[in-house]
């Protein structure tokens, strides 16, 4: 099976062919080197919650990764003054910080009266190093 490479990059076979023809590498060496360009899928057991912008503290942050419908994360009261502001949860998708491929994100909003009454927009930002973020 061909490894999954970064979206928008050259196909696996083209990279192998380039290494064989352009660099005169044996095919087994070219295939082995190309695997280092692979972006692996996220493994569920590697996902963790790193931090939250604020929390009311009803449940541990790790509860957002569980399947319990009666647990959730809620930001601290007053954090969205006049219904404006930003709250976030930060997740790690690999234990050693390497890039991972994420195919989907699920979101479950608690029922009223616990659910967010003012949230109208959601977004996903990403970072390789946890310092510089891309929206």
């Amino acid at each position: 099976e061909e490894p999954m490479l970064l979206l928008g990059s050259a196909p696996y076979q083209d990279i192998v062919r380039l290494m064989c023809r352009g660099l005169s590498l044996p095919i087994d060496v070219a295939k082995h080197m190309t695997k280092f360009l692979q972006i692996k899928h996220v493994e569920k057991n590697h996902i963790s919650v790193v931090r939250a912008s604020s929390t009311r503290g009803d449940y541990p942050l790790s509860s957002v990764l569980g399947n319990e419908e009666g647990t959730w994360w809620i930001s601290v009261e007053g954090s969205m003054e006049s219904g404006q502001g930003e709250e976030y949860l930060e997740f790690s998708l690999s234990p050693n910080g390497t890039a991972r491929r994420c195919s989907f994100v699920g979101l479950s909003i608690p029922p009223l009266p616990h659910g967010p009454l003012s949230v109208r927009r959601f977004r996903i930002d990403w970072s390789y190093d946890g310092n510089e973020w891309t929206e």
Side-chain angles (χ1 to χ4, degrees):
E1 180 180 327
E2 293 183 3
M4 180 74 72
L5 301 177
L6 188 62
L7 184 65
S9 65
Y12 172 78
Q13 288 299 337
D14 290 353
I15 296 172
V16 170
R17 193 174 309 113
L18 176 66
M19 289 186 175
C20 288
R21 292 182 184 162
L23 300 175
S24 301
L25 296 173
I27 190 151
D28 57 331
V29 173
K31 285 181 177 180
H32 182 73
M33 288 175 64
T34 303
K35 287 182 181 179
F36 287 98
L37 302 175
Q38 179 180 1
I39 306 291
K40 296 179 181 178
H41 287 279
V42 173
E43 294 181 37
K44 186 177 180 179
N45 62 328
H46 288 169
I47 301 172
S48 64
V49 184
V50 176
R51 71 180 57 90
S53 53
S54 72
T55 184
R56 197 169 77 177
D58 299 60
Y59 304 97
L61 287 179
S62 60
S63 68
V64 302
L65 298 172
N67 294 323
E68 296 291 324
E69 290 188 21
T71 63
W72 48 73
W73 166 73
I74 298 178
S75 60
V76 71
E77 190 173 331
S79 63
M80 301 289 281
E81 191 173 318
S82 301
Q84 301 293 314
E86 291 188 1
E87 290 289 336
Y88 68 86
L89 289 171
E90 182 179 331
F91 297 88
S92 173
L93 304 182
S94 72
N96 59 4
T98 57
R100 291 287 183 250
R101 181 179 299 275
C102 182
S103 301
F104 70 93
V105 174
L107 176 70
S108 176
I109 298 175
L112 292 173
H114 306 290
L117 302 176
S118 63
V119 175
R120 300 290 184 260
R121 294 183 314 152
F122 296 89
R123 75 171 196 251
I124 297 175
D125 297 353
W126 62 273
S127 173
Y128 284 118
D129 61 7
N131 295 314
E132 294 184 35
W133 291 87
T134 301
E135 192 172 309

